[in-house]
Amino acid sequence: MPETDPWEYSLSIPNDPRAVTVCRRTLRLILTVHGLIGQVDVAELLATELIGNAVRHTKGPAALRVRCSASDVLRIGAWDADPSPPEPPQPFAPALDREDGRGLALVRACADVWGWQPLAREGNRGKYVWCELDGVRAGHPG
């Protein structure tokens, strides 16, 4: 497969905090086999925030989606069964001793663009929260 061909992966996960680690390690493997090792650190951070939010703030299953387009855009997204919009990102100034509060502010700070959309398919409802890194095959750090 030529390196400019688009590809996409999807990983369904249960509502279990341990699934965040599974997603992070799976994403590292995906990016490594596609020659995007230079994107792993920032991509893992983004995926951890998106999937962590899906697991922490909803009650049903979730999914990680990773796609690289022919135009060098890496999209990382999290689907969950709750159609409620995500909390808007707050200014990035969480208390240093807190484990939470970074969420979408980190995503907004590290990604080139992010967004969300409600989903309804085959009677299932939910939302898809995503972010993108541009120029990933050219070595752009995100």
Side-chain angles (χ1 to χ4, degrees):
M1 171 188 326
E3 286 303 316
T4 58
D5 283 353
W7 48 262
E8 183 171 345
Y9 294 84
S10 200
L11 176 64
S12 297
I13 60 168
N15 190 291
D16 181 336
R18 296 171 293 189
V20 177
T21 300
V22 171
C23 287
R24 190 172 50 246
R25 290 182 179 167
T26 301
L27 176 64
R28 175 175 286 272
L29 179 60
I30 291 167
L31 296 179
T32 299
V33 300
H34 283 283
L36 299 175
I37 191 72
Q39 303 300 321
V40 167
D41 291 339
V42 70
E44 280 185 330
L45 173 69
L46 295 169
T48 298
E49 291 300 330
L50 295 177
I51 289 294
N53 285 345
V55 169
R56 190 176 309 108
H57 299 295
T58 67
K59 300 202 183 316
L64 171 70
R65 292 180 64 198
V66 183
R67 179 179 78 202
C68 192
S69 70
S71 59
D72 271 1
V73 175
L74 180 66
R75 178 176 274 206
I76 301 164
W79 168 84
D80 66 58
D82 183 351
S84 304
E87 290 289 323
Q90 302 301 313
F92 189 69
L96 295 176
D97 59 342
R98 291 186 55 187
E99 296 261 336
D100 62 349
R102 297 179 303 267
L104 289 177
L106 253 177
V107 172
R108 183 176 63 185
C110 296
D112 291 307
V113 64
W114 79 278
W116 79 279
Q117 59 199 64
L119 297 177
R121 187 181 324 165
E122 300 170 12
N124 296 322
R125 295 175 36 135
K127 70 178 163 297
Y128 181 60
V129 183
W130 54 268
C131 62
E132 292 180 346
L133 298 173
D134 294 332
V136 294
R137 291 187 181 112
H140 175 69

